[in-house]
Amino acid sequence: MAEKLAPWSKEEFEAKLREKGKGYHIYHPIHVLMYEGKLTQQQMQAWVANRYYYQIAIPMKDAAILSNCPDRELRRGWIQRIFDHDGSGQIAEGGEGGIEAWIHLGAAVGLSREEVTSLKLVAPGTKFAVDAYINFAKQRPWQESVCSSLTELFAPHIHQQRIDSWPEMYPWINAEGMQYFKNRLTQARRDVEQGLEVTLDYFSQTREMQMRALDILQFKLDVLWVMADAIMLQSADIKVEDRDYLRQPVMNVS
């Protein structure tokens, strides 16, 4: 059916992409509790530790896009995302990057650097979802991988919300750990402009391609939602038909 329909205008197409924000992970129960100030320190630590696995995957995803992209001008702009997360320049001059800033967030919620970077606190579901995202970026055409990044459309508002509400709701969190969110206020908006321009230009050729783009964005939304599921199952007491949720036993072999 999509093959027989005329493509939406770019304005209509963008509106449909933005409408996908109704399925953004901000509406997941674990995030609703977070924004209501109801998470315990242990639950906040679980969120930070699991999201670190996503943070370290972002530059690998972007490197995969660069490796598949023959467009020099796009690569020249896109590579900034790797610097944003991996860092550039001297640490003393603010060149740490987003990954280091996230480790500082870990310290702000009471986690040591080793607890964050060892990945020992990361739930299997988080690893599975994030690895699927990296593999998608490696294996699919670069335009599709660019499209998958458009969950950034919905991020700046959430970063601002955390900056505004956490000092009151979670006063025990060291304010210095909030730098990651402050950095992303401008970085994410810049990234959205670049990713949106590519997506609107490339996928607006046919209605079928536009529908494909919406499916790709849904895939990325699913990745983030599954991560939230994993964090909730890891850190909350959950009952299923009056039975406690049983977490997977892990056997340590030495």
Side-chain angles (χ1 to χ4, degrees):
M1 179 65 70
E3 296 176 359
K4 300 178 182 179
L5 297 173
W8 294 302
S9 69
K10 288 186 178 181
E11 293 75 17
E12 292 172 320
F13 182 30
E14 180 177 345
K16 292 185 181 296
L17 289 167
R18 291 184 180 277
E19 189 176 2
K20 282 285 186 179
K22 295 177 180 178
Y24 196 45
H25 60 174
I26 189 175
Y27 301 110
H28 189 281
I30 195 73
H31 284 92
V32 172
L33 290 172
M34 177 189 295
Y35 301 130
E36 291 177 346
K38 296 178 179 178
L39 292 189
T40 65
Q41 182 173 6
Q42 183 180 14
Q43 289 169 330
M44 191 66 83
Q45 289 174 345
W47 181 77
V48 171
N50 277 271
R51 289 282 299 188
Y52 178 75
Y53 193 71
Y54 178 75
Q55 299 304 321
I56 61 176
I58 292 174
M60 290 190 282
K61 175 267 297 183
D62 289 323
I65 291 175
L66 292 175
S67 72
N68 290 329
C69 179
D71 186 324
R72 179 177 179 233
E73 285 307 309
L74 187 131
R75 293 199 307 267
R76 282 163 60 89
W78 203 271
I79 199 171
Q80 182 60 46
R81 297 170 183 241
I82 296 179
F83 295 141
D84 287 345
H85 282 83
D86 278 343
S88 60
Q90 297 297 317
I91 290 178
E93 298 173 357
E96 299 97 327
I99 290 175
E100 188 66 25
W102 198 268
I103 294 172
H104 292 174
L105 176 60
V109 300
L111 293 172
S112 68
R113 173 179 288 268
E114 193 277 335
E115 286 175 317
V116 175
T117 60
S118 68
L119 308 180
K120 63 185 179 182
L121 301 178
V122 180
T126 296
K127 291 181 179 179
F128 191 87
V130 173
D131 290 350
Y133 183 40
I134 296 176
N135 289 332
F136 180 90
K138 289 179 178 179
Q139 297 167 9
R140 300 303 302 166
W142 66 271
Q143 297 94 336
E144 293 195 1
S145 302
V146 166
C147 178
S148 72
S149 73
L150 284 182
T151 48
E152 295 164 336
L153 283 167
F154 321 119
H157 167 71
I158 290 124
H159 297 320
Q160 187 65 60
Q161 189 179 53
R162 291 167 183 159
I163 293 169
D164 293 340
S165 65
W166 280 17
E168 179 181 351
M169 293 182 174
Y170 303 102
W172 50 269
I173 296 179
N174 190 324
E176 294 181 0
M178 303 289 285
Q179 189 61 47
Y180 176 87
F181 305 126
K182 295 176 182 178
N183 293 344
R184 290 305 295 167
L185 287 176
T186 54
Q187 293 172 355
R189 290 189 174 93
R190 179 206 63 212
D191 293 349
V192 164
E193 290 181 7
Q194 186 181 31
L196 192 58
E197 181 180 2
V198 170
T199 298
L200 293 178
D201 286 345
Y202 178 75
F203 288 94
S204 291
Q205 299 176 58
T206 67
R207 177 71 68 87
E208 184 179 20
M209 292 178 68
Q210 290 173 328
M211 294 297 293
R212 171 62 181 159
L214 292 171
D215 287 342
I216 292 167
L217 183 52
Q218 184 61 55
F219 159 73
K220 176 59 183 310
L221 289 166
D222 291 345
V223 167
L224 297 174
W225 197 271
V226 168
M227 288 174 58
D229 279 344
I231 296 167
M232 183 177 67
L233 289 172
Q234 181 191 61
S235 63
D237 293 327
I238 297 173
K239 290 185 178 293
V240 180
E241 295 184 350
D242 293 328
R243 294 187 179 185
D244 291 334
Y245 168 74
L246 179 63
R247 295 172 177 82
Q248 180 189 30
V250 177
M251 302 301 294
N252 293 317
V253 179
S254 59

